[in-house]
């Protein structure tokens, strides 16, 4: 349509074509800004979810460390006061976690 305007309307046609082009560019800018804004919101939401997941992982790791201490203390109590042989406790631990069973308590 642009060439028809130019032929029929001359400079006015050119100006109308330029105005249409500017309108199209402004619409594209608006859509790009909206997409950028949506991406920022999505990124912020994902960042918050990751931060929550990291915090929960830290809490769980601390809880696991505490549980390991409890089990170790209970094992030592069994060995010292209940007369359970250390090797038997090590075999039990090795049955549950082969990596841990090889280590002396």
């Amino acid at each position: 349509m642009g060439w028809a305007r130019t032929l029929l309307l001359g400079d006015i046609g050119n100006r109308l074509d330029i105005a249409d082009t500017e309108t199209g560019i402004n619409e594209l800018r608006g859509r790009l800004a909206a997409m950028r804004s949506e991406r920022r919101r999505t990124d912020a939401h994902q960042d918050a979810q990751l931060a929550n997941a990291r915090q929960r992982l830290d809490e769980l790791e601390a809880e696991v460390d505490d549980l390991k201490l409890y089990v170790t203390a209970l094992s030592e109590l069994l060995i010292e006061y209940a007369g359970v042989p250390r090797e038997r406790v090590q075999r039990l631990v090795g049955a549950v976690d082969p990596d841990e069973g090889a280590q002396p308590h």
Side-chain angles (χ1 to χ4, degrees):
M1 174 102 183
W3 60 271
R5 280 186 188 169
T6 301
L7 287 176
L8 295 174
L9 301 175
D11 287 339
I12 295 172
N14 277 340
R15 184 61 202 137
L16 290 173
D17 287 344
I18 290 169
D20 287 347
T21 302
E22 288 172 344
T23 301
I25 289 171
N26 287 333
E27 287 174 2
L28 285 172
R29 282 186 179 145
R31 285 193 292 182
L32 286 172
M35 289 169 61
R36 243 188 330 269
S37 178
E38 178 62 27
R39 188 183 63 228
R40 281 190 209 113
R41 277 193 300 276
T42 300
D43 289 350
H45 179 68
Q46 288 175 343
D47 289 346
Q49 286 180 323
L50 284 172
N52 288 338
R54 283 188 197 107
Q55 180 181 355
R56 185 65 181 136
L57 280 172
D58 289 343
E59 291 169 0
L60 289 171
E61 286 176 347
E63 188 174 333
V64 166
D65 289 343
D66 288 345
L67 290 171
K68 285 180 179 180
L69 289 172
Y70 295 143
V71 168
T72 300
L74 286 173
S75 297
E76 291 300 323
L77 286 173
L78 283 172
I79 292 166
E80 187 173 339
Y81 294 107
V84 177
R86 183 173 297 276
E87 296 76 28
R88 189 166 180 192
V89 172
Q90 287 175 339
R91 279 196 312 269
L92 176 64
V93 171
V96 175
D97 186 356
D99 292 337
E100 293 291 326
Q103 299 173 355
H105 289 279

